[in-house]
Amino acid sequence: MNIPSGPLTGTRVVEMGNLVGAPYGGMALADLGAEVIKVELPGGDLSRAFPPFVATESAFYLAMNRGKRSVALHPRHPKARRWLMALVNSADVLLHNLRHGAMERIGLGESDVRETNPAIVYAVVSAFGTEGPDAARPGIDLIFQAESGMVSIAGHADDPPQKTATTIGDFLAGTNIALLICAALVERARTGRGKKVEVSLRDGLIAAQSTWNAIAVAEQGQPPRMGTASPFTAPNQLFEAQGGFLAVAIVADAHFRRLCEVIGRPDLADRYPTNPDRVQHREIIAEELGAVLATGDVDVWVEQFRATGVPAGKVLTLPEVMEDAQALHQEMFFQEIHPRLGAFAQTGSPFRMNSEPVRADMPAPALGEHTAEVLAELGATPLEIAELVTQGAAING
C-alpha cells in the first residue's frame, strides 16, 4: 500500500463523492498526505463516463482523483453496509457531495455516523446549502454561476451574459471544504470533538464576488459588464497586438508611467496620473493604448514590459501554458506513471511547503481497485470479500 506522506499523514478520509466538489477536496487532502479512501457505488463516480478518454479511462476522472484508493460497495446491501460502517468508523473525516438526503437514506447522515464515531469530522459539499428553501434543489456549476450573479457581470456590455469556461464553483468548493476540514481537525486535536463542516457551491461563488457585490451596494444597482476591463483599476484588460492578445494590469501610478514611456506616449501619464483619473477615463485610455499596441508584436511588447516592471503578459493557449518555463519550474505539470495507462501528463497541485511542491504520487484508482485490500484491513476474510462480489454488493477491481 502506497499512502502519501505530508502534514496530514495519519489522517483517514472517507470520500463519497461525484464529479468535482468533493473529489477535488479529497484530492487536495491526499496531496497534503491524508489517506483518502474513495467509496463508490458499483456504477462508479459519474465522471468515469466523461470523454475524452486516455485508453479506457476518463481524463476528467483521472484529473480529480489521484492519491486515493477506491472501494466499490453497494450501501443498501446489508452485507456491504456492515463493512461500509466499519470503514466510516475507522475514519477521521467523512466527506461527501451526494444529493440532498442521500446520506440519510443510506444511514450515513451525521447523527447516524456520530453515534459510533463521535470524533469524526463530517464534511458536506452541497449545491445551495443543507437547509433552507432551496436545500433539495439539484445544481450544476452553470446554475451556480447564473444564480450567484457571476454570469450577469461576465462578458462585454453588448454581449449576452457569459460563464467562465472552467467550472470555477466546483473547484472553489473543493478548496473551501479542504480548508474547513483542516480547521476542524485542528480544533478536534484541541478539544477531542468532531464537527460538521459544510460549503455550498453557490455560496462560494457569491463570496468570491465580494468586491462586485460591494459595487452593487455602493452604486445601488447592477454593475455593467465590462469585458476584460476592471471597475477598480485602469488600464486593466486585454489588448490585441500582432501575433496575439496582451493582458495589461496596471494598479500603481508608477507602472502606468513606465507603460506610457515604453510605448512612446508619456503624455498619457501626464494627463491621467492617478488611478481614479484612469478609471474615470478608461475608455479613452483603452482606445489610445489599443491603437499603439496593435502596431507591435505581442512577444516584443511582453519582453519590453517585463524588462521595465510593467505588469503584463501574453494570453497563452493551454498547450503553451504546459510548455511555459515558470509553470514547469513550479511543477504544475508532471508525467504520471499509471499502472495500466503508462505515462501521461497531469496537472500538479498549487500547494508548496518548504519551497517544494506537495502532491500525492498515487494515480487515480480503477473502480473498486482497492476493495479487497481495504476490507481485509478492516478484518474481512477472503471468503467474505468473495461473497460480497458474488452477490453484487461490491466490486473488486
Side-chain angles (χ1 to χ4, degrees):
M1 180 176 64
N2 181 20
I3 295 177
S5 62
L8 292 182
T9 297
T11 302
R12 171 171 281 189
V13 178
V14 172
E15 174 210 305
M16 299 182 69
N18 269 313
L19 303 178
V20 181
Y24 188 71
M27 188 171 72
L29 297 172
D31 284 339
L32 292 170
E35 176 197 4
V36 180
I37 300 174
K38 184 179 182 71
V39 176
E40 302 181 71
L41 300 179
D45 187 315
L46 294 174
S47 70
R48 288 185 181 274
F50 284 14
F53 296 93
V54 180
T56 59
E57 300 288 340
S58 165
F60 189 110
Y61 173 82
L62 294 172
M64 293 291 104
N65 290 284
R66 69 167 170 265
K68 305 175 186 179
R69 294 193 286 169
S70 172
V71 172
L73 292 172
H74 200 305
R76 293 186 182 276
H77 194 287
K79 290 188 177 180
R81 176 172 169 73
R82 168 195 170 190
W83 295 108
L84 179 57
M85 289 302 300
L87 178 59
V88 170
N89 286 336
S90 75
D92 300 287
V93 179
L94 176 59
L95 165 63
H96 82 86
N97 67 336
L98 302 187
R99 65 186 181 276
H100 182 75
M103 293 290 277
E104 286 74 15
R105 286 191 289 274
I106 61 176
L108 289 176
E110 185 199 4
S111 59
D112 302 312
V113 172
R114 210 168 287 289
E115 284 183 5
T116 51
N117 189 351
I120 198 165
V121 173
Y122 192 93
V124 184
V125 177
S126 67
F128 297 94
T130 57
E131 300 178 354
D134 285 345
R137 284 182 61 195
I140 297 295
D141 188 80
L142 176 60
I143 298 172
F144 307 134
Q145 289 196 36
E147 295 194 4
S148 67
M150 179 173 284
V151 167
S152 76
I153 58 174
H156 294 274
D158 297 330
D159 294 337
Q162 298 180 19
K163 69 177 286 292
T164 63
T166 297
T167 57
I168 190 65
D170 290 319
F171 288 93
L172 185 58
T175 303
N176 285 344
I177 199 65
L179 172 64
L180 269 177
I181 288 169
C182 289
L185 288 171
V186 170
E187 182 184 60
R188 191 184 72 166
R190 186 179 68 250
T191 67
R193 295 190 296 273
K195 179 167 285 187
K196 180 182 180 182
V197 296
E198 56 183 295
V199 297
S200 149
L201 282 96
R202 185 194 184 196
D203 290 351
L205 288 181
I206 292 174
Q209 296 179 149
S210 59
T211 52
W212 283 91
N213 298 337
I215 295 176
V217 172
E219 298 185 350
Q220 299 184 348
Q222 169 71 12
R225 292 195 294 277
M226 301 176 63
T228 62
S230 166
F232 308 105
T233 62
N236 192 331
Q237 63 188 87
L238 297 184
F239 294 95
E240 188 170 6
Q242 295 179 21
F245 285 85
L246 183 71
V248 176
I250 301 298
V251 175
D253 297 337
H255 289 157
F256 184 63
R257 180 160 294 279
R258 292 177 201 168
L259 166 68
C260 295
E261 290 171 352
V262 170
I263 68 171
R265 290 294 307 274
D267 59 294
L268 290 175
D270 294 333
R271 286 160 53 191
Y272 310 110
T274 69
N275 185 61
D277 294 327
R278 295 190 294 274
V279 168
Q280 183 179 356
H281 300 94
R282 69 162 60 85
E283 293 181 0
I284 296 173
I285 295 172
E287 184 177 351
E288 298 267 16
L289 292 180
V292 178
L293 294 173
T295 65
D297 182 85
V298 63
D299 293 314
V300 174
W301 284 131
V302 169
E303 183 179 355
Q304 291 179 334
F305 290 148
R306 287 184 178 179
T308 55
V310 175
K314 181 182 178 181
V315 175
L316 301 179
T317 65
L318 294 183
E320 287 172 333
V321 175
M322 294 176 188
E323 296 176 355
D324 179 76
Q326 184 64 28
L328 293 175
H329 174 80
Q330 293 292 106
E331 299 187 35
M332 285 307 302
F333 300 98
F334 67 100
Q335 287 291 318
E336 184 170 70
I337 307 301
H338 195 282
R340 294 178 304 281
L341 308 178
F344 66 98
Q346 279 280 57
T347 304
S349 168
F351 302 153
R352 297 181 77 83
M353 301 189 75
N354 291 331
S355 300
E356 294 295 327
V358 176
R359 181 180 70 236
D361 62 1
M362 294 169 55
L367 177 60
E369 179 177 343
H370 304 95
T371 298
E373 178 180 279
V374 172
L375 293 184
E377 292 170 7
L378 295 172
T381 67
L383 178 60
E384 289 173 318
I385 295 171
E387 288 179 347
L388 287 170
V389 174
T390 301
Q391 296 175 12
I395 293 177
N396 183 19

